Structure formats: structure tokens, C-alpha cells
Amino acid sequence: MLQSLRVCSRQTASRAFSRQAGAAASIEPTAPVRVRFAPSPTGMLHLGGLRTALFNYLLARRYGGEFILRIEDTDQARLVPGAAEGIVQTLEWAGLNFDEGPGKGPDKYFQSQRSDIYRKHAQELLDRGAAYRCFCSTSRLEALRTEQTAQGRAPAYDRHCAHLSSRQIDEKLRAGERHTVRMRAPSAEDSDSGRFYDIVHRAMDFRGPAGFDDAVLLKSDGQPTYHLANVVDDHLMRITHVLRGEEWLMSTPKHRALFTAFGWQAPQYAHLPLLMNPDGSKLSKRNDDGPVQRYIDDGYLPESLVNYTALLGWHPETPQELFTLRQLEQSFSLAGLSRSKSVVSRERLDWLNRQHLRAAFADPDKSAGLIQQARAEVAAASGLETASVRPETVATALRLAGDRLTFTKDLYNAVPFMFGDPALDTTAAEQALILVPHEFHIPILNALEHALASEVSESWIGFAKSVAAAAQVPTKHVMMMLRFALT
């Protein structure tokens, strides 16, 4: 039965591969999609994870589908308390609302809650002959790996248990011997699973022993590995497209082989290139620019970080760089995904944050929140009580200094004179007074007091010239005093 499945699948896959490889223009979905973001709760969500979530979300919104959040927590030893909740909170902060996921939808979305489902499907593979029980001890596997490495061979299981008889297996089970369940991978010459079309990398060919190790599906404690849980869930949740990191590209032949063994249709795959640091190293959770929470703490707007993240590996059809989330939903396409690695640069992100910050100042729905945030930040920076920082003053300050701000927390340093009297005992004040001859101080101040008694309608340069003429002093000295007073 298994051989018949493989022959049939081989013919189908060959035809499908030919069609896909010659039809890159048809990669855009023609029907509603179902996509998933499936992080492991082993720490804070990092920028690469946010990008994966964003691209899946945008694909669902662009083509009228569903975006599912699935928590892959089968590796209990690596779980970090609160990490799953943190992932949900970060997605909500970014505006990436999932259609199904923890607390929302008809299914169970933590893989740790689905163990019975995986064991049932592992048994199905055993019954089909597509998997087998492995009773090898940890010490034997380690010795095998050491020997293969010493011989310059890629570590791979030697199928020591693949040909045990039913009687031998029953005896070991009755004796209570611990065991795993391994997939019976396709042979090296089988092209079904190793040859496929990736939306980003196009035609892929992983035929050969390296791509077809007998991967463990169920661990000795009965818990599934990523490979089994991933494939079973993608099928049962009717996932049509899998957008995930490039690090999973080499695992795709195994996953496709499992789909074939079950007699299921595999989804379409798109493996996203790595994110890189400016020095060429891989961006990771341990980098300063890795965790999304670091960007939140630094004061970046969600609109800015989402805009920036979208441009890390996706190219819009126009030169436009500034996008709202709604605009991204309308513009995203699979054809725009890039095969090139993207370098994470704070400089570009800072520019985007300045643009989105200005847009937020002009939006009544967002400006009120920014004023309250800036009010608290001004109080913290100045040592004032928050109650003494008037919202009207903050609003005026944001309007005047908005073009120079990267973050709202920069407001106090940009216009400190709006929140208190200037410090006259500083080096800068002394230098300013030295640059303006002493005999001009009183005439300039008198002229300024008279000029400010009426509404100022001139430009600053025109105003300075008027004051200078009234005080009968050179304009440059008035400009110097104004510059110090205002900065």
C-alpha cells in the first residue's frame, strides 16, 4: 500500500513541480488562504518572528483568508514562563489580530494540548509501514554519531531497528523498553519529497541521503517532535501556505515525505531569508536589535516597526516606503518576497518613526494618547510632577518640535524652555553672553519686551531684524540671544 502511495505521489508531484516551476507568475493565491504563525514560547518574540507573523497576517488579509496563531510548545524543557502570553501581547501591540488562536477559535492551539492527536497519527503511520519503533539507547546513538563524524559522514540513523520482526517488537514492548517512533524516510533516489517549488527560492532539489534521514516523530516520553506535530496540525487546520524562516528549508523534504505517507496534500511553502546584523552576523534573540520588546521599550511606534519589518524581505511594486498597516494589507504580494538577506538598520527605522510620529500628531485619534505619553516623559526628564506639566503646553511643544523628534521621549530635551525657566549658570549661557557685547544686553531686552507685547506675524529673521533696528544693534547679536533663549 505504501509503495502504491509513493508511485502515485511521485507522478503527481512531478506534474505539479513542472507546472509550478514554469509558472512563477501564478504564485499569488486565487482563493482564500489559511496561514499560521507557530512560534515556540522559549523567550521573547524577536524581530524575525514578528516578520514571519506579519507576512502571514498580510497574506491572509490581502486574499481574504484566516490568520491562525499556534503555540508550538512540545519541547517542555525549553519553555519560558509567560513567553506565550508575551507573544500574544506583542502581536496585539503590533495590530496583528489573529482569527484563531489561544482563547479564540474552535480548536486547541497549544500543541501540548494535542498529544493524543499526534500519538493517534503516529500509530497510523506504524500501521501503514511508514514508521517504525526504535529501541536504540542514547549511548548507542551517540556512539553512532561519533563514528560517522570521524569518518567524515553526515550523522544519520542507520536503521538498526527498521527491520525488527513483529515478535521482536512485541517482546521489547512487553519488557517495557523505552523507544521512539521514527519515520521510514523515502529512499535517496525518490524525488517526490526532495524536489519541490518554494515561493521564495523557486525550484528546489534536495534529493539525496542528507535530506531523508529517519527523523524521530515520537520521543520516548510519548511527546511528538516538531516534524510530526507540524505536519499533522498543518493538515488538520487546513493550512494552505506556510511562510516561515529559511532555517526550516532543509526540513521541508521530511515534512513533504510525511504528507505523502499520510496521503495528504502538502501546503505551498515560502522560506524567508535570514535577518542580519550590519556586521554580517545572524540576528538572534541575544542581539540588542533582536527582541521586539527592546524596540517597544525604546519608544518606537507600532506603526513604524510594522512598516519597517514589512520592508525586510518584501519589495512593494512602487517606490513607496511609508505604509500604514491598512496600506500593507492592500499591497502585500508573494511576488514581492525577496531571496536576499536583509540587514537590520536602526537608521532607516528612526526615519520611519519620525514620519509616523508626525502623522500621529496630526491624527486626533492618536494625538491625545501621544500627548499623555509625552507628558509623563517630560515629567520624568525634568523632575516635575506630572500634574504640573500642562497637556496644552505639551501639545504646543509637540507641534513646534515635531519635525525634530524621533521619539516622544526626546521632547523635553528639544524644547526645555517650554517647561521651565532656562538655566543661566551653564557654560552655554556664559558663552552666549560673551558673544553678545555687554552694552547691547539691555537695549536688546527692552526691544524684545516691546516687540513681544504685540502679536508677532513676521518670520524669525524678520522679527530679529526689527528688534535689532529698534535696539540700534547688529542683527547677529539679536539672533544669538534668540538662539540661546529658544534652544
Side-chain angles (χ1 to χ4, degrees):
M1 178 180 178
L2 180 61
Q3 184 61 30
S4 299
L5 270 173
R6 283 178 172 167
V7 170
C8 178
S9 176
R10 206 165 27 236
Q11 295 170 345
T12 303
S14 179
R15 290 194 297 269
F17 179 85
S18 299
R19 288 197 304 270
Q20 290 177 327
S26 65
I27 61 176
E28 301 303 330
T30 56
V33 302
R34 280 179 64 85
V35 295
R36 47 67 164 185
F37 175 51
S40 297
T42 55
M44 294 186 292
L45 184 66
H46 61 90
L47 194 62
L50 178 64
R51 182 184 65 167
T52 299
L54 175 61
F55 285 179
N56 277 284
Y57 168 88
L58 293 177
L59 184 64
R61 295 296 174 264
R62 175 70 173 82
Y63 293 102
E66 288 85 37
F67 172 54
I68 299 166
L69 175 63
R70 189 172 76 213
I71 305 298
E72 300 195 338
D73 60 343
T74 54
D75 191 348
Q76 295 289 305
R78 298 179 60 229
L79 297 188
V80 173
E85 293 80 3
I87 289 169
V88 172
Q89 291 169 4
T90 302
L91 294 179
E92 291 174 346
W93 174 85
L96 308 184
N97 300 315
F98 50 87
D99 301 296
E100 295 180 26
K104 186 178 183 180
D107 213 334
K108 296 177 180 178
Y109 299 96
F110 283 86
Q111 287 188 333
S112 58
Q113 301 170 344
R114 301 168 62 84
S115 297
D116 290 345
I117 296 174
Y118 307 132
R119 284 193 284 268
K120 171 180 174 293
H121 283 84
Q123 184 61 51
E124 182 178 333
L125 291 178
L126 288 169
D127 295 342
R128 290 179 176 222
Y132 59 93
R133 301 181 193 276
C134 175
F135 296 88
C136 290
S137 65
T138 301
S139 59
R140 181 187 184 279
L141 295 175
E142 290 177 350
L144 176 64
R145 188 179 301 109
T146 300
E147 178 185 354
Q148 292 172 332
T149 302
Q151 295 173 352
R153 292 187 291 153
Y157 183 59
D158 61 358
R159 290 193 166 180
H160 178 74
C161 294
H163 305 293
L164 293 176
S165 67
S166 297
R167 182 179 59 81
Q168 290 173 309
I169 293 173
D170 289 341
E171 288 176 354
K172 290 179 178 293
L173 291 176
R174 282 196 297 270
E177 290 190 31
R178 290 171 64 85
H179 65 279
T180 62
V181 174
R182 290 182 179 271
M183 70 178 292
R184 194 182 300 273
S187 60
E189 66 273 10
D190 192 333
S191 64
D192 294 4
S193 304
R195 189 172 184 237
F196 61 93
Y197 185 84
D198 184 88
I199 292 171
V200 174
H201 297 275
R202 306 300 191 248
M204 303 301 297
D205 193 340
F206 285 100
R207 288 175 295 179
F212 298 101
D213 187 22
D214 284 5
V216 173
L217 303 180
L218 279 185
K219 293 177 282 189
S220 59
D221 61 0
Q223 293 300 311
T225 61
Y226 171 81
H227 303 298
L228 177 64
N230 176 277
V231 168
V232 170
D233 285 347
D234 281 348
H235 172 72
L236 295 182
M237 294 181 181
R238 308 188 313 281
I239 301 302
T240 62
H241 294 72
V242 172
L243 278 65
R244 61 187 181 185
E246 188 176 69
E247 62 270 23
W248 294 110
L249 189 58
M250 289 294 292
S251 295
T252 305
K254 292 185 178 71
H255 299 167
R256 287 174 50 80
L258 280 173
F259 275 104
T260 298
F262 280 116
W264 298 337
Q265 176 67 45
Q268 296 186 55
Y269 291 95
H271 289 88
L272 309 173
L274 299 175
L275 297 182
M276 312 299 290
N277 293 305
D279 64 2
S281 61
K282 176 185 174 183
L283 186 74
S284 71
K285 293 180 181 180
R286 292 173 291 278
N287 294 121
D288 287 344
D289 287 339
V292 175
Q293 189 60 47
R294 183 67 59 84
Y295 295 91
I296 297 174
D297 294 342
D298 285 347
Y300 289 100
L301 298 176
E303 296 87 347
S304 308
L305 190 60
V306 166
N307 188 165
Y308 176 70
T309 303
L311 299 177
L312 294 174
W314 173 71
H315 299 299
E317 295 179 357
T318 68
Q320 180 179 350
E321 286 190 85
L322 200 63
F323 289 89
T324 63
L325 182 57
R326 178 58 179 158
Q327 289 171 328
L328 288 170
E329 292 173 7
Q330 296 170 335
S331 304
F332 184 77
S333 66
L334 293 174
L337 295 177
S338 170
R339 277 176 275 184
S340 301
K341 294 177 174 59
S342 297
V343 176
V344 174
S345 165
R346 286 273 184 142
E347 183 178 350
R348 189 183 193 191
L349 176 57
D350 287 349
W351 180 83
L352 286 169
N353 206 60
R354 287 192 289 272
Q355 312 313 309
H356 282 285
L357 197 57
R358 284 204 289 269
F361 293 155
D363 185 342
D365 293 334
K366 297 178 180 179
S367 60
L370 287 175
I371 288 171
Q372 293 306 317
Q373 176 179 321
R375 187 183 178 203
E377 291 166 341
V378 166
S382 64
L384 298 170
E385 293 292 332
T386 302
S388 66
V389 181
R390 298 174 63 234
E392 299 83 358
T393 304
V394 173
T396 301
L398 287 172
R399 186 173 66 253
L400 293 175
D403 289 348
R404 290 179 283 153
L405 299 181
T406 300
F407 307 102
T408 55
K409 65 183 179 183
D410 298 334
L411 180 62
Y412 178 73
N413 289 331
V415 286
F417 55 85
M418 295 195 67
F419 303 102
D421 295 330
L424 300 177
D425 57 351
T426 63
T427 301
E430 292 175 359
Q431 290 176 344
L433 292 174
I434 290 172
L435 291 173
V436 179
H438 182 73
E439 62 270 22
F440 293 156
H441 291 178
I442 300 303
I444 291 175
L445 290 173
N446 288 336
L448 279 171
E449 183 178 11
H450 178 75
L452 291 172
S454 58
E455 185 175 348
V456 178
S457 59
E458 303 172 281
S459 66
W460 282 113
I461 294 178
F463 176 72
K465 288 180 178 180
S466 299
V467 171
Q472 297 182 344
V473 301
T475 302
K476 66 178 182 179
H477 296 314
V478 176
M479 291 293 291
M480 178 60 68
M481 293 189 74
L482 285 174
R483 179 182 179 187
F484 170 74
L486 294 175
T487 61

